[in-house]
Amino acid sequence: LRRKWLTRGLLSLNRNNYNCVFVASPPRAGSSVTANLLSKAGLFGGKTKVADQWNKYGYFENLEITKYVIEYLRRNDKNKLGKRFQPKNLKEDFDVFGDLVESVLFEQGWDGKSTWFYKDPKIPLCWKLFNKHFPKAKWIICRRDRNDLLQSLEKTPFMDAYTSKKDWNTFLDHYEILINEISSQGTSD
């Protein structure tokens, strides 16, 4: 974890005094394009994953924040499923999560006032954690035609958690449940 003074609320701002936006979707559903637009509109994303052959404009995922998301998911992955871990209702708290996110953003140049965004396909898996720590956040939900999404998942080499269309459909069904939960909490598509 980051330095203790960063995680014990000394940085903690009134989270009602600034805006943040979370981009939620399954992988390969257009969240990178959406995050690119947010970045071009002037929202702060921090240091994000750069472009490669699979995402030619960039991923716009803040890898430092993602480390904490992965840590949280791994702590809850009791069966060591890794990429196949699909939690439905995580109960374990991560009481310093909001402070850690803010400290990363500050270290990357955030001014503490401007609107920032975070995009990662893992957000739906632990959306309640984000919602708890950032209750005033705006949510953008990206959706894509199921067949197009399946084709993209199957042809992208790093999307290797599953090999059959049936397993990918089960994966996407689970994401749809989580996305619907996010939507029902007052967010909008």
Side-chain angles (χ1 to χ4, degrees):
L1 293 181
R2 301 184 101 65
R3 289 171 251 139
K4 287 185 180 180
W5 61 272
L6 290 174
T7 63
R8 295 296 169 214
L10 296 176
L11 269 186
S12 193
L13 303 168
N14 180 342
R15 294 191 178 123
N16 293 321
N17 290 339
Y18 66 81
N19 294 313
C20 55
V21 177
F22 298 126
V23 181
S25 73
R28 313 302 296 168
S31 58
S32 295
V33 171
T34 302
N36 185 0
L37 292 172
L38 294 174
S39 179
K40 286 184 179 201
L43 278 69
F44 184 82
K47 293 180 183 174
T48 60
K49 186 174 178 180
V50 297
D52 64 17
Q53 68 185 31
W54 301 107
N55 210 326
K56 66 181 180 178
Y57 298 107
Y59 291 82
F60 295 90
E61 295 171 10
N62 189 313
L63 297 178
E64 288 299 312
I65 295 172
T66 297
K67 287 179 187 177
Y68 295 114
V69 172
I70 291 170
E71 175 188 326
Y72 177 72
L73 291 171
R74 281 186 179 149
R75 277 200 327 237
N76 284 279
D77 184 4
K78 307 298 183 210
N79 295 321
K80 308 287 186 229
L81 297 173
K83 290 181 179 181
R84 294 180 178 179
F85 181 52
Q86 300 263 333
K88 288 193 171 134
N89 192 9
L90 295 176
K91 304 265 188 211
E92 184 177 326
D93 195 12
F94 192 173
D95 63 342
V96 297
F97 181 72
D99 293 335
L100 290 169
V101 169
E102 287 174 347
S103 70
V104 166
L105 293 169
F106 272 116
E107 288 175 6
Q108 295 177 354
W110 179 55
D111 63 9
K113 296 178 268 184
S114 61
T115 302
W116 58 271
F117 73 91
Y118 177 68
K119 170 260 178 188
D120 189 299
K122 294 173 218 43
I123 289 176
L125 300 175
C126 53
W127 75 269
K128 291 178 182 176
L129 177 70
F130 284 90
N131 198 50
K132 176 183 177 184
H133 288 273
F134 303 99
K136 300 291 186 183
K138 306 291 185 224
W139 290 80
I140 297 174
I141 296 170
C142 300
R143 298 181 190 267
R144 183 176 180 185
D145 175 78
R146 175 68 71 109
N147 288 327
D148 292 343
L149 189 51
L150 283 167
Q151 283 182 343
S152 182
L153 289 167
E154 290 175 330
K155 76 176 185 181
T156 306
F158 61 83
M159 297 304 305
D160 58 358
Y162 303 103
T163 56
S164 75
K165 195 169 257 183
K166 179 183 179 216
D167 288 341
W168 278 119
N169 269 307
T170 301
F171 169 86
L172 293 173
D173 289 344
H174 181 70
Y175 261 86
E176 192 63 30
I177 290 167
L178 296 171
I179 295 293
N180 288 336
E181 287 178 6
I182 295 168
S183 293
S184 72
Q185 295 299 311
T187 60
S188 61
D189 290 342

